[in-house]
Amino acid sequence: MRRFSLLIPVLLLIAYSVSAQSIQFRDITAKAGIRFFHNNAAFGNKFLPETMGPGCAFIDYDNDGSPDIVLVNGENWPGHPGSSSTLKLYHNNHDGTFTEVTRKAGLAIPMFGLGVAVGDYDNDGYDDLFISALGQSHLFRNNGNGTFNDVTKSAGLWGPNEFSTSAAWVDYDRDGKLDLVVANYVQWSLQGDLYCTIDGAHKSYCTPESYKGTSARLWHNVGNGKFEDATQKAKFYDPTSKSLGVAVLDYDGDGWPDILLANDTQPNKLYLNKHDGTFEERGVSAGIAFSEDGVARAGMGVDAADYDRSGRPSLIITNFANQMLSLYHNEGNGLFVDEAPQSEVGRASLVTLGFGCFFFDYDNDGWQDILVADGHIEDQIERVQKRVSYAEPPHLFRNLGAGKFQEVTASLGTVFASPRVARGAAYADIDNDGFLDVLFTTNGGRAYLFHNEGGSNHSLRIKLAGTKSNRDGIGAVIRVTSGKDAQSKMLRSGSSYLSQSELVLTFGLGEQTKADAIEVRWPSCQVEKLSNVNAGQTITIEEGKGVTSSRSYSKPTSGPMHQAIAKSATPVVPAIRPR
């Protein structure tokens, strides 16, 4: 009897492995026509901005229902000529390929670009682009005909010459117009560059501790395509910050968007929205400013999500090597507690250096998983730290429920799990199959587009169209109930690192074939309720009108995208993932 009882868990594991979904992320970059190589401008002098970029984003700029790709680029330093480089826009052709249309779209503007944020700031139904940069950042208005105009000057954003990093669109005063928050790093210039070394013999990239900090900026949308600098008026000004990541969340559940800044060697900042156009900084009292031992870590990327189905957003913040990932659980009383030191998330990420990061449900089981893009800043780091590498594999932590995560990176494909010097990361369903695909950028290297070879779990995708609220519905919270399960997500701009994912929310439903109930809480406070909505489709919910359009998924084994990918496919090995 005892032998039989010991055998039961083994039999259950074998049974699970037989029925396990075959989940892999396949590298389709070359097949898709993505031929991008990041120009970080490095030529040996190791100027600080060289190692920071680039970011990336998904944007459906022509409203054809398929996400297109933006890859941010740097440019050469003065006095070091070379081939010109600009950001790249790739149009989704719906057949497994993308076409580079940057110049045709009017986006071939030289700049030392770093980050990107997507949002419809003028509510005309077409998403616009903000590109953060070293020097002058740029706002590109979508003309609705496949082209963009640089409206930085006319919008009132011209002038600040800063080291701008991540950015996010947010309607912080809930007036129906998207405002813009822009993180800034440090006060750096070519003339003021400092000499630093890690081995006493060679110049290395300086840490931010070598330079003075600078405040993030908050741009208030006053309408008619104009913005005003509300940083001081909104009590958002803090010249000690050295910000790299931005996340928008409603951490206290009052219906107003709050703003989190991940700071590098300075305390992280959490700005509580006071409902009157101002903010109050709560990082220390909320428990996210420092590590458990009271140290300000090197915060890079950030995201917020309800990973435990508590109805409250928790946080991830990527940090430097030997600091581990932060996993801040929202306790519901205004306090966050870092669960990473007691979890596999912390142990697995201890020696890696994380940048891009996000919560997403890669296997559509209804639980938010975690992806982290890793890569060091110093190419000679192995000389002084034997356990730390320059190129590093990513982390993908599968959410097992009950607050537990398991790293499954190695089971998701050899190329996906390979080391790289990654920076930006974003996700989108590029082929309308209901599973989320992943985009990585690397510093001074190529971009990677990974197709999610999904399993049999169901999902429902929701796109919003605001009327009283901003057109994108950014800031809306959607709650989906299916069977006994309930999930909630906020539609947000920003998050990750220098990057942005698509403005469509994907709800994994597991074995459930429909959502029993959907509730949308718009920023305008209007509430939309739907019932008995079938899985396997993308629906558009218009504020005040309900579902105005729907589009069924492509079958995983058919359609031009999947056929194109399959031509170069290799066998998919089922991943054994015990719950």
Side-chain angles (χ1 to χ4, degrees):
M1 179 66 72
R2 183 172 181 273
R3 289 182 179 180
F4 181 74
S5 64
L6 291 174
L7 189 59
I8 290 177
V10 178
L11 293 173
L12 289 174
L13 178 58
I14 294 173
Y16 180 83
S17 67
V18 170
S19 62
Q21 299 172 42
S22 299
I23 302 281
Q24 292 242 307
F25 282 95
R26 192 176 312 284
D27 182 5
I28 62 167
T29 316
K31 190 71 178 179
I34 306 295
R35 297 177 178 86
F36 173 83
F37 200 89
H38 175 233
N39 177 18
N40 62 6
F43 66 97
N45 274 15
K46 294 203 169 183
F47 294 139
L48 180 60
E50 295 169 356
T51 194
M52 304 307 296
C56 59
F58 287 103
I59 175 176
D60 183 7
Y61 76 94
D62 55 355
N63 286 349
D64 64 355
S66 296
D68 312 296
I69 290 174
V70 174
L71 295 167
V72 182
N73 214 347
E75 65 175 344
N76 298 315
W77 295 117
H80 292 270
S83 57
S84 61
S85 57
T86 68
L87 66 83
K88 298 296 181 184
L89 175 64
Y90 288 89
H91 178 258
N92 191 328
N93 299 323
H94 316 284
D95 63 356
T97 67
F98 290 76
T99 299
E100 197 256 296
V101 294
T102 314
R103 190 164 297 278
K104 178 181 177 182
L107 292 172
I109 308 296
M111 72 183 91
F112 200 110
L114 289 165
V116 53
V118 175
D120 183 2
Y121 78 89
D122 55 358
N123 289 328
D124 66 351
Y126 288 88
D127 281 330
D128 311 297
L129 279 172
F130 177 79
I131 306 297
S132 64
L134 175 70
Q136 179 62 60
S137 298
H138 290 260
L139 176 62
F140 295 97
R141 180 182 181 270
N142 191 332
N143 298 317
N145 59 3
T147 68
F148 292 80
N149 279 349
D150 188 343
V151 296
T152 312
K153 289 184 178 180
S154 62
L157 299 177
W158 191 268
N161 192 314
E162 295 169 319
F163 194 156
S164 297
T165 53
S166 296
W169 295 98
V170 53
D171 184 5
Y172 73 88
D173 55 354
R174 299 199 322 193
D175 65 354
K177 301 184 294 292
L178 287 176
D179 312 299
L180 180 66
V181 57
V182 182
N184 289 312
Y185 195 30
V186 295
Q187 298 180 36
W188 179 92
S189 67
L190 277 171
Q191 298 74 21
D193 181 70
L194 300 175
Y195 180 88
C196 299
T197 180
I198 61 172
D199 61 5
H202 305 87
K203 185 181 181 185
S204 63
Y205 292 107
C206 293
T207 70
E209 294 163 307
S210 304
Y211 299 96
K212 292 181 179 180
T214 184
S215 179
R217 282 189 188 266
L218 184 63
W219 295 97
H220 178 241
N221 188 336
V222 297
N224 298 317
K226 304 286 186 180
F227 292 83
E228 64 177 1
D229 187 350
T231 311
Q232 295 271 7
K233 182 170 64 176
K235 300 182 180 179
F236 202 73
Y237 181 74
D238 182 353
T240 68
S241 286
K242 300 176 181 181
S243 303
L244 291 176
V246 177
V248 179
L249 69 157
D250 180 9
Y251 91 95
D252 58 350
D254 64 355
W256 292 78
D258 310 305
I259 298 172
L260 171 65
L261 295 177
N263 281 326
D264 190 356
T265 71
Q266 286 292 311
N268 299 317
K269 301 295 171 64
L270 180 59
Y271 290 92
L272 175 70
N273 195 320
K274 300 296 289 182
H275 313 173
D276 59 0
T278 68
F279 292 84
E280 179 184 336
E281 206 284 300
R282 293 277 189 90
V284 173
S285 63
I288 60 94
F290 303 97
S291 65
E292 284 189 328
D293 52 1
V295 175
R297 288 182 280 192
M300 310 290 185
V302 62
D303 196 17
D306 177 15
Y307 75 81
D308 61 347
R309 295 182 180 172
S310 65
R312 300 182 297 268
S314 296
L315 304 169
I316 48 172
I317 301 177
T318 54
N319 297 303
F320 210 77
N322 300 309
Q323 292 183 342
M324 78 173 54
L325 180 72
S326 302
L327 176 61
Y328 287 110
H329 180 259
N330 191 330
E331 299 291 298
N333 55 5
L335 182 68
F336 291 86
V337 174
D338 190 0
E339 301 286 349
Q342 288 77 45
S343 76
E344 186 164 340
V345 168
R347 292 189 295 272
S349 63
L350 178 58
V351 299
T352 51
L353 199 168
F355 279 93
C357 62
F358 48 74
F359 290 99
F360 78 140
D361 185 1
Y362 83 97
D363 55 359
N364 284 341
D365 66 353
W367 293 90
Q368 296 293 292
D369 311 299
I370 297 172
L371 185 140
V372 180
D374 295 314
H376 211 277
I377 63 168
E378 179 54 61
D379 57 3
Q380 301 297 319
I381 190 61
E382 292 94 339
R383 290 184 176 182
V384 293
Q385 295 187 42
K386 300 302 182 184
R387 294 196 306 160
V388 180
S389 301
Y390 181 48
E392 300 171 331
H395 295 295
L396 202 159
F397 297 102
R398 187 175 187 235
N399 191 333
L400 305 179
K404 303 295 183 182
F405 290 87
Q406 177 186 26
E407 180 157 25
V408 295
T409 312
S411 70
L412 300 176
T414 302
V415 179
F416 180 79
S418 297
R420 57 183 62 88
V421 187
R423 293 295 186 263
Y427 62 81
D429 181 2
I430 63 172
D431 54 351
N432 190 43
D433 67 352
F435 283 84
L436 293 172
D437 312 296
V438 171
L439 178 65
F440 287 129
T441 61
T442 63
N443 182 258
R446 54 171 284 204
Y448 291 82
L449 180 61
F450 287 97
H451 180 253
N452 186 336
E453 311 277 311
S456 59
N457 279 340
H458 300 283
S459 68
L460 175 67
R461 288 167 49 78
I462 300 176
K463 180 176 175 59
L464 298 178
T467 53
K468 294 180 181 179
S469 304
N470 67 86
R471 180 69 177 180
D472 284 320
I474 289 173
V477 176
I478 303 179
R479 181 179 174 86
V480 171
T481 303
S482 183
K484 296 181 180 179
D485 298 330
Q487 329 171 32
S488 63
K489 298 181 182 181
M490 174 190 279
L491 183 65
R492 59 169 56 86
S493 168
S495 284
S496 191
Y497 171 78
L498 308 180
S499 303
Q500 181 169 326
S501 298
E502 65 176 348
L503 291 174
V504 180
L505 293 178
T506 300
F507 289 86
L509 301 180
E511 297 179 353
Q512 302 291 330
T513 58
K514 68 175 182 178
D516 297 319
I518 299 174
E519 179 183 275
V520 182
R521 292 189 174 271
W522 297 89
S524 67
C525 295
Q526 182 160 328
V527 178
E528 212 99 22
K529 293 185 178 182
L530 307 170
S531 60
N532 296 319
V533 179
N534 289 330
Q537 60 176 333
T538 301
I539 62 172
T540 298
I541 301 176
E542 186 172 346
E543 188 175 11
K545 295 184 178 180
V547 177
T548 56
S549 67
S550 63
R551 177 189 183 193
S552 297
Y553 295 163
S554 301
K555 293 182 179 180
T557 56
S558 66
M561 175 72 81
H562 290 87
Q563 291 170 3
I565 294 169
K567 290 180 180 179
S568 60
T570 54
V572 176
V573 180
I576 301 176
R577 301 159 306 173
R579 296 293 277 185

